[in-house]
Amino acid sequence: MDYPKLAQTILKEIGGSDNIDSVMHCATRLRFQLKDKSRTSKERLEAIDGILTVIYSGGQVQLVAGEDVNKVYLELQKRIVSPTTTESRAVSKGNLFEQFVSVISGVFLPVLGVIAASGILKGFLTAALIAGVMNKDDGTYQILFIASDAMFYFMPIILGFSAGKTFNTNPYITATIGAALVYPMLIQLHQAETPLSFLHIPVMLMNYVQSVIPIIIAAWFTARLDHVLQKIIPVSLQLIFIPLSLLVIAVPATLLAIGPVSIYASKLLADGSLALYHLSPVVAGFLLAGVWQIAVIFGLHWAFIPIFINNIAVYGFDPINALLYCTVFAQTGAALAVAIKTRQTKLKTVAYTASLSGFLGITEPAIYGVNLPSRKPFIMASIGSAAGGAIAGFFSAKMFGGFASGGVFGIPMFISAEGMDWGFYGFCLSLFVAFLVSALLTITFGYKNDSVSILDENGPAS
């Protein structure tokens, strides 16, 4: 693929570099915040060779470019004139839900790969302990465990930096506030239950290790305070006195109010999600898994990611993502069925490639390149997902290792520290059932060889 040409075409159809407020990318999507969306055309963007589809969601224009998205992104960076376009991440001006999704995606998107990698490594280490390949006293295990746990332990620092960029304030300040939350002395005072006060105001000591919500709210508060201080403090004094004022005000405010309130909110969020789950795990799995990939298409899944991570921080496990994990295998099964059945050479190649990506946890090529264009395979995959989610709920499957977006390498994350149990076996069964049901339904009902494919420019295949 000619990536420079593709980047140049995208830049032209997106309205030029002067129309870009910010641009990021995830595993398969270029995510633009534009100044004027009317300068773009969804039809023209989708007509670009190399773009699978275009989605307007969360105030963003999202171009699904597939696994080569990073190469396209790097070429875009060379052509974007404004130096702020890849650094600042303006929050969406849409409705409250769109703004919320925009904030969450802005905070978590840059670190999601590291979170997933850390969680997968934790899962593999657990499997290695159970299999007797390693033991906890082994130096190799200890170093790899440190590598897997560092992201979660110091999450307030890393999310603080990301949130600072998202809220357009100094990310080093917000990272420092995150560091204050996990400062060793503060942890020791909490563990020893030693009283602490600030200006004679008692501080409610909490454990902020692995926490998510406190630093995001603290970063938002810091950004608002930063904007106020920029209007008050003379420009010649801002370099030192704005950071100084932010630290003096924001750190105590976080420890006195924002942190404790956020921790209680985190607990309520975790309790609420588990309460809904426990009403009927089977029904929850059936419904959530059945519609999950639709939520992914519209970018609504970002609203759930803090819940997954927060549940693990509060309880050490998360059952919700265990219900949804099978959806990746369902979409993969449908795509593989299309690859086996189709007589369209180009579609067959794309479907086999998308199936391989699906097994590795990336479903966009399968969804946008194969299943959605053929319509019925996507429906069959949703049915298979619902069946798999119901089975995961029936066996009370749980995720223990952190967070992963899907794929075979994330499976060990669902093994508990006590070893493989019926929850894990049921989880594996949910993946198999989702894959098999989706594949069989697609082969039997979901795809006909005379179906029109967007990849077939000459009309129906013979």
Side-chain angles (χ1 to χ4, degrees):
M1 184 179 291
D2 189 342
Y3 299 112
K5 181 180 178 181
L6 176 56
Q8 190 64 41
T9 305
I10 291 172
L11 200 58
K12 176 185 175 183
E13 297 298 343
I14 212 73
S17 64
D18 62 324
N19 193 35
I20 299 173
D21 263 338
S22 65
V23 57
M24 302 179 287
H25 76 89
C26 57
T28 58
R29 304 184 189 189
L30 293 165
R31 298 167 176 264
F32 291 89
Q33 293 276 9
L34 301 179
K35 296 175 182 176
D36 183 3
K37 294 186 182 68
S38 66
R39 290 167 63 177
T40 68
S41 165
K42 189 173 187 290
E43 291 73 21
R44 290 202 305 269
L45 288 170
E46 288 183 332
I48 298 173
D49 186 22
I51 299 301
L52 296 174
T53 192
V54 177
I55 301 165
Y56 288 78
S57 177
Q60 297 178 336
V61 178
Q62 303 176 10
L63 277 60
V64 182
E67 297 172 334
D68 294 332
V69 65
N70 184 55
K71 296 176 182 177
V72 183
Y73 175 76
L74 292 176
E75 291 297 332
L76 274 172
Q77 281 189 309
K78 298 175 185 177
R79 290 161 174 77
I80 294 175
V81 176
S82 172
T84 62
T85 54
T86 57
E87 294 298 324
S88 65
R89 299 177 192 153
V91 177
S92 166
K93 305 298 185 196
N95 59 47
L96 287 177
F97 183 75
E98 287 182 337
Q99 292 181 43
F100 172 74
V101 171
S102 179
V103 167
I104 295 302
S105 63
V107 172
F108 282 96
L109 185 59
V111 299
L112 203 57
V114 181
I115 292 175
S118 300
I120 289 171
L121 181 55
K122 272 178 170 283
F124 277 119
L125 290 175
T126 299
L129 288 177
I130 294 170
V133 178
M134 290 183 173
N135 64 75
K136 290 186 176 181
D137 297 324
D138 181 29
T140 302
Y141 171 84
Q142 292 172 346
I143 290 174
L144 290 178
F145 179 81
I146 290 171
S148 72
D149 197 52
M151 171 70 207
F152 298 104
Y153 190 93
F154 295 107
M155 188 173 285
I157 300 175
I158 298 170
L159 289 185
F161 187 87
S162 184
K165 283 193 166 187
T166 300
F167 293 120
N168 292 322
T169 190
N170 188 332
Y172 297 97
I173 293 293
T174 49
T176 301
I177 295 170
L181 293 177
V182 293
Y183 194 74
M185 182 184 296
L186 191 67
I187 295 174
Q188 292 169 5
L189 291 172
H190 173 261
Q191 292 174 341
E193 298 182 354
T194 303
L196 182 67
S197 64
F198 178 79
L199 298 178
H200 304 293
I201 304 172
V203 175
M204 187 179 297
L205 292 172
M206 313 288 286
N207 182 8
Y208 297 104
V209 172
Q210 297 189 350
S211 63
V212 174
I213 297 177
I215 186 57
I216 294 177
I217 296 178
W220 174 85
F221 170 77
T222 302
R224 303 284 77 74
L225 181 60
D226 185 9
H227 296 158
V228 172
L229 292 175
Q230 288 182 27
K231 297 177 181 178
I232 297 174
I233 298 177
V235 175
S236 59
L237 301 177
Q238 287 184 1
L239 180 64
I240 295 176
F241 285 97
I242 284 185
L244 175 62
S245 301
L246 290 175
L247 288 177
V248 169
I249 298 172
V251 172
T254 301
L255 294 177
L256 285 169
I258 296 173
V261 171
S262 300
I263 288 293
Y264 282 119
S266 301
K267 185 69 165 53
L268 288 174
L269 179 63
D271 289 344
S273 65
L274 290 184
L276 291 174
Y277 167 82
H278 285 306
L279 286 175
S280 176
V282 174
V283 174
F286 183 87
L287 295 177
L288 287 176
V291 302
W292 182 245
Q293 289 298 335
I294 298 175
V296 171
I297 288 173
F298 291 101
L300 304 180
H301 61 299
W302 287 106
F304 288 81
I305 289 176
I307 297 176
F308 303 154
I309 299 175
N310 184 66
N311 283 343
I312 291 174
V314 175
Y315 295 114
F317 64 85
D318 170 56
I320 310 299
N321 202 28
L323 304 177
L324 306 174
Y325 206 84
C326 66
T327 62
V328 171
F329 291 84
Q331 292 293 336
T332 303
L336 184 58
V338 172
I340 293 171
K341 193 170 182 181
T342 185
R343 291 196 296 264
Q344 302 176 44
T345 303
K346 190 173 182 180
L347 178 57
K348 186 180 287 288
T349 301
V350 171
Y352 274 124
T353 303
S355 300
L356 176 60
S357 298
F359 281 118
L360 298 178
I362 300 174
T363 56
E364 277 88 347
I367 293 174
Y368 300 114
V370 182
N371 297 340
L372 265 182
S374 301
R375 294 180 179 84
K376 284 186 179 179
F378 183 83
I379 297 173
M380 301 305 154
S382 296
I383 295 172
S385 296
I391 290 173
F394 179 81
F395 285 95
S396 299
K398 298 179 179 67
M399 179 177 66
F400 298 94
F403 174 79
S405 56
V408 293
F409 293 116
I411 293 175
M413 293 171 50
F414 296 83
I415 304 173
S416 99
E418 285 72 36
M420 299 182 187
D421 53 15
W422 279 109
F424 177 71
Y425 298 137
F427 168 75
C428 293
L429 179 62
S430 75
L431 307 185
F432 177 76
V433 168
F435 176 86
L436 186 62
V437 168
S438 301
L440 291 178
L441 287 177
T442 301
I443 288 175
T444 308
F445 307 108
Y447 185 81
K448 294 181 180 180
N449 277 314
D450 60 353
S451 295
V452 177
S453 169
I454 61 170
L455 299 174
D456 184 4
E457 297 176 351
N458 300 318
S462 58

